[in-house]
Structures are given as C-alpha cells and as structure tokens.
C-alpha cells in the first residue's frame, strides 16, 4: 500500500512538471510570435540620415512643415501597438516640448512603406534639419518607456550630443506597413 501511494505521489509530481513545462513553452512561443522586427525587409539599411529626412519631407503629410527642431510621431490605424504605446508617446511629447521641439503626429498608410517599415515610429530632427533619431519608441511587447530606445537619444540630445541614429534592428510590438 505504501509503495502504491509513493508511486501515485511521483506520478502527480511528474504530471505537474510536464504541465508546467508545456505551459511555459506555450507562453514563450506565443510571446515570440508577437514580437516582430521593426524593419523586416531591411529597407532602412540602404538610406542615409540626410536622405531619410529629405524623403520624409517630400511626403504630402509633411511637405508643408518645417521639420527643424521637431518630433514626429508616425502611427497607423488600425494598429493595436499604437494604442499600447499611447502613454509612452505622451511622455515623449512632454519631454520634447520641454526641450522646445515642435511635435507632429502623422497617420500613415502603406504609401510610406518604402520609408517607414512599421509603426509606431518616431523621428527627431535637430535645429539644422539633421537627423537625431528615427525608429520605434521601444522594444518588447508593451512599447513601454522601460524598454525605450528613444528616451536615451532625447536625453543625449538635451546634453548636446547627436547620434544620428536610424534604429531598424528592434523587435517588439509593431504593425508592419
């Protein structure tokens, strides 16, 4: 009888471990499936910072704007990731306004596909129309400021440094165009 109870206990333990492993494996699989590359076609590998600003400035949504000293938010609809990034977007907007940057929001569609591979994305342009940053707000599933790519760039820009960063090697919650 003792042996049967001991065998039963080990069977329950093994069943629990098997369940736990399968749950963790399924969780990892589904999280990884939702993380996508910001620039899956690597279109931004071929563009220089000056060319990117010139091409974006030619777009109808931006050709009447002076992009100097500005932060441009690029969002697309319907994009669940844009909704998830609203808090981060608001935080970036406040920081940019404190730095004296103009803030623009551009709703885009597939016509931008050759320039902007995914949304949400942001462009920061300095005083003399030089690129400061172009890419996603952050990495990870939540597009949160804790995984921010752009916050450090804004802090460095405030201190007088400009990395002229085009970030296209990020994985997170993005909507490819």
């Amino acid at each position: 009888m003792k042996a049967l109870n001991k065998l039963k206990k080990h069977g329950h333990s093994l069943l629990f471990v098997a369940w736990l492993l399968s749950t963790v494996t399924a969780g990892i699989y589904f999280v990884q499936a939702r993380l996508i590359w910001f620039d899956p076609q690597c279109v931004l590998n071929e563009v220089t910072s000056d060319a990117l600003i010139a091409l974006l400035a030619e777009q109808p949504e931006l050709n009447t704007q002076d992009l100097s000293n500005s932060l441009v938010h690029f969002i697309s609809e319907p994009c669940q990731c844009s909704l998830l990034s609203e808090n981060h977007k608001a935080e970036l907007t406040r920081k940019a306004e404190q730095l004296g940057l103009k803030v623009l929001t551009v709703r885009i569609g597939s016509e931008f596909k050759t320039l902007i591979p995914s949304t949400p994305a942001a462009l920061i342009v300095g005083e003399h129309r030089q690129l400061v940053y172009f890419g996603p707000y952050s990495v990870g599933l939540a597009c949160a400021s804790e995984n921010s790519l752009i916050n450090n760039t804004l802090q460095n820009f405030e201190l007088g440094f400009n990395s002229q960063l085009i970030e296209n090697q990020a994985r997170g919650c993005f909507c490819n165009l």
Side-chain angles (χ1 to χ4, degrees):
M1 188 71 160
K2 266 187 170 179
L4 188 57
N5 282 340
K6 196 173 188 180
L7 186 59
K8 214 180 203 182
K9 240 184 193 178
H10 286 303
H12 286 137
S13 295
L14 286 174
L15 184 61
F16 174 75
V17 169
W19 170 82
L20 184 62
L21 285 174
S22 63
T23 301
V24 168
T25 302
I28 291 170
Y29 171 78
F30 287 112
V31 165
Q32 291 298 320
R34 287 200 46 194
L35 291 174
I36 61 170
W37 288 104
F38 179 74
D39 186 9
Q41 306 300 320
C42 299
V43 296
L44 294 173
N45 286 349
E46 306 300 321
V47 67
T48 65
S49 57
D50 291 337
L52 179 66
I53 289 178
L55 290 168
L56 288 171
E58 291 173 2
Q59 298 305 307
E61 294 83 354
L62 293 172
N63 65 5
T64 60
Q65 303 289 330
D66 176 15
L67 292 180
S68 299
N69 281 329
S70 60
L71 165 65
V72 182
H73 297 286
F74 294 101
I75 59 172
S76 61
E77 292 179 12
C79 178
Q80 183 68 26
C81 299
S82 290
L83 295 174
L84 290 173
S85 67
E86 279 299 316
N87 289 339
H88 193 190
K89 179 181 167 192
E91 180 183 313
L92 289 171
T93 296
R94 281 190 299 277
K95 179 70 172 173
E97 288 172 343
Q98 288 172 355
L99 294 174
L101 299 175
K102 294 177 296 215
V103 178
L104 307 166
T105 298
V106 177
R107 294 188 193 310
I108 63 172
S110 60
E111 71 276 3
F112 274 89
K113 188 176 186 173
T114 57
L115 299 173
I116 302 171
S118 300
T119 61
L123 170 72
I124 302 174
V125 181
E127 184 177 3
H128 303 290
R129 283 182 51 126
Q130 79 278 16
L131 177 78
V132 175
Y133 177 85
F134 177 73
Y137 297 145
S138 64
V139 296
L141 286 176
C143 295
S145 59
E146 292 81 29
N147 300 330
S148 179
L149 299 169
I150 194 172
N151 285 2
N152 290 340
T153 305
L154 265 178
Q155 288 172 351
N156 288 338
F157 182 66
E158 182 179 19
L159 296 172
F161 301 107
N162 181 358
S163 59
Q164 295 190 1
L165 179 63
I166 297 176
E167 178 56 67
N168 67 334
Q169 298 299 311
R171 284 184 60 157
C173 181
F174 309 121
C175 295
N176 295 134
L177 298 179

